[in-house]
Amino acid sequence: MRPQSILVPVLLVALGMVFTQTGASFAKMLFPLVGANGATALRLTLAAIALVAVFRPWRHKLDRKQWRAVLLYGAVMGAMNLFFYAALEHIPLGIAVALEFTGPLAVALFGARKPLDFVWIALAVGGFAMLLPWTGFGGDISPLGIALALCAGACWAGYIIFGQKAGTGGGPHIAALGVATAALIALPFGIASAGPLLFDPAILPLGLAVALLSSAIPYALDMVALPHIPARLFGILMSGQPALAALSGLVILGERLTPGQVAGMAAIIIASIGATATIARPVQEPQP
């Protein structure tokens, strides 16, 4: 894959990351009103409405194999969001995203081949270890929050894998169908948690901002980028998420992290930059 051909999908992924973490900070503001499940349902439902209205997926025909991939993609997306927002009730945004990174990291480990790849993965693992409380660097964070974030990470791995399968030969309309599926999964949890408050017009503007920033825009960007970027590269690129999350949490929510946590995130982002520079190299294309 030539550098020119991979530059655009890499930029799309990076832009989606910025939107995601900004939206996550706004979403945390919804917790006192509708709870984590309510915020998740509101985010996904409004995002689904926006994506379906814009991309009109009913105009595209999917075969049985594509529908299966889309439904799996939407299912892991819904579970990922429910677990992640539940984790945010117990731990800071930056820590939650760093722990959630275990999913993309697993994808990266599975695809690693060159010795230099393992250098970046080892650096990412070292940074991840510094975020855990029992290493002496991670501070005092909730074990329940850790478990929920790790569950979100497992779903994140599925999001990468099934997102590639669903997006191959597709487009943004696939993202619309995936988010709609995720919304159908999250909505019962949101209604059970928030009840009528979920439909309060007063919270709709904030909910819509969260939906666009956290779901509609980044999922559409990912769906465009995923078919054109190696899963291994995408997985390690995602290691930039903790740093962006920590910055967003600091600026928007006032969440402060310990020096050890900041060092761990710095190691992860360096691994991401190194992996991008070495994995996305030009290679000899096969002759037809």
Side-chain angles (χ1 to χ4, degrees):
M1 185 175 291
R2 298 182 184 278
Q4 295 90 341
S5 65
I6 205 171
L7 178 61
V8 171
V10 166
L11 290 176
L12 290 177
V13 170
L15 185 60
M17 289 161 54
V18 173
F19 281 123
T20 297
Q21 300 312 328
T22 303
S25 292
F26 288 150
K28 204 164 182 178
M29 298 178 183
L30 285 170
F31 287 6
L33 301 174
V34 294
N37 288 341
T40 305
L42 195 60
R43 162 189 170 175
L44 290 174
T45 301
L46 293 176
I49 293 172
L51 286 171
V52 168
V54 171
F55 297 114
R56 293 175 283 182
W58 60 83
R59 300 186 304 171
H60 304 268
K61 292 184 178 180
L62 277 65
D63 58 30
R64 186 174 180 178
K65 183 178 180 181
Q66 288 175 312
W67 269 115
R68 181 176 180 272
V70 167
L71 292 176
L72 288 171
Y73 166 62
V76 295
M77 186 195 305
M80 176 179 69
N81 280 277
L82 286 168
F83 280 124
F84 178 68
Y85 275 33
L88 289 185
E89 285 192 303
H90 304 279
I91 55 180
L93 175 60
I95 300 300
V97 175
L99 293 170
E100 189 189 25
F101 174 68
T102 52
L105 182 57
V107 175
L109 283 167
F110 181 80
R113 291 180 178 85
K114 299 188 297 293
L116 187 57
D117 297 344
F118 290 94
V119 173
W120 305 124
I121 292 172
L123 186 59
V125 170
F128 167 74
M130 295 182 72
L131 300 175
L132 301 178
W134 50 83
T135 61
F137 296 97
D140 184 21
I141 59 176
S142 165
L144 177 58
I146 292 174
L148 290 168
L150 292 176
C151 289
C155 294
W156 195 352
Y159 169 79
I160 295 171
I161 296 169
F162 295 126
Q164 282 192 311
K165 293 180 179 179
T168 302
H173 66 281
I174 298 294
L177 292 173
V179 175
T181 302
L184 290 174
I185 291 173
L187 196 55
F189 292 93
I191 294 174
S193 172
L197 287 176
L198 195 64
F199 307 99
D200 186 346
I203 66 172
L204 285 182
L206 180 56
L208 183 59
V210 170
L212 293 175
L213 291 172
S214 295
S215 297
I217 296 175
Y219 287 149
L221 293 175
D222 281 358
M223 188 51 58
V224 173
L226 275 170
H228 307 288
I229 190 171
R232 179 164 47 110
L233 175 57
F234 181 85
I236 304 182
L237 274 173
M238 289 293 101
S239 65
Q241 293 275 25
L244 291 173
L247 179 61
S248 179
L250 174 64
V251 173
I252 299 176
L253 300 173
E255 295 178 343
R256 297 186 179 275
L257 304 177
T258 68
Q261 292 166 349
V262 172
M265 292 182 184
I268 291 173
I269 195 64
I270 291 171
S272 174
I273 295 171
T276 304
T278 56
I279 293 176
R281 294 181 299 181
V283 297
Q284 185 70 28
E285 294 187 353
Q287 297 297 321

